[in-house]
Structures are given as C-alpha cells and as structure tokens.
Amino acid sequence: MTPDRELLARAEAAAARAYAPYSRFRVGAAARARDGTVLTGVNVENAAYPLGVCAERAALARAVGEGYGPGELEALAVTASPCGGCRQWLAEFRVDAVTYRRADGELAVATAADLLPDTFQL
Ligand code: THU
C-alpha cells in the first residue's frame, strides 16, 4: 500500500479548522467512501478535557451521519498517528487503508486491522 497523499492533503487542510485551545495540537482527518465522497473531521477539545473528540472520530461520525457505515470507507488519512481509541474506531469501520504521519514526520499506511490486532468484537 502506498500513502494516499491527496487524501492527506485534505486532512491537512481540515486541521486548520481544529478547535484545540488547550493542547494547541491541531489534527485533521479525511475519510473517503467507496463512491468517492470525502468526509473530513478535526479534533474538538473541551474545558472538561476528557470530553474532547479526536479528528478521526469526528470524520467517522460525520461519515455515519452522511449514510456511510462499516465496510463503506476505502481510505482515511490523518495528520497524526492514531491514538488507541481511534484505532478501535477504525477497526469498527473496517477502513481498508489508513495513511498517517508519524511523530518523526514520516508517512505510514496500514490497514485498520494492522493498526490494532485482535480487536475487541462484541
Ligand atoms: N488527537 C487526535 O485528534 N487524534 C489522535 O489520534 C491523537 C490525538 C487530538 C486529541 C487532542 O485534542 C490533541 O490531539 C492532543 O492530544
């Protein structure tokens, strides 16, 4: 798999719209459905810190709101390495290819299953 630079550019553009007044760490994500529709999301923080939402989850929630469910997202790009909770969300939606930027700046691409092996299933 090769990193999806076009989708990452959409995520980078979205990151400018993040609401991150506490960490000042802006994150953007962009998910692409199989029909080509791109859904973006940003991290949205809150004064009550644990209530903040990550960019990946914001993008996936938007995708669901637009009618896209598990198996319908072919790719997602995010400007940071996905946290553990977001890896569980990516697994839930069975995203085929996740492009992300590692902390060292390198691009990486992996399946949701690779990012979180032996995923919890209900
Ligand atoms: N963050 C994300 O949006 N996605 C991740 O996968 C890692 C962390 C956000 C959460 C918080 O607003 C900020 O980055 C610093 O942790």
Side-chain angles (χ1 to χ4, degrees), residues 71-108:
E72 294 176 348
L73 299 171
E74 62 181 14
L76 183 143
V78 55
T79 58
S81 180
C83 75
C86 285
R87 291 177 190 226
Q88 179 72 34
W89 269 60
L90 292 164
E92 179 81 21
F93 287 89
R94 302 194 299 272
V95 180
D96 297 343
V98 182
T99 293
Y100 60 99
R101 196 175 289 285
R102 291 197 172 108
D104 64 7
E106 291 297 310
L107 290 191

Side-chain angles (χ1 to χ4, degrees), residues 19-20 23 25 27 42-45 53-56 78 80-83 86:
Y19 177 70
S23 72
F25 188 74
V27 185
V42 297
N43 57 327
V44 182
E45 298 184 346
V53 63
C54 289
E56 301 93 312
V78 55
S81 180
C83 75
C86 285

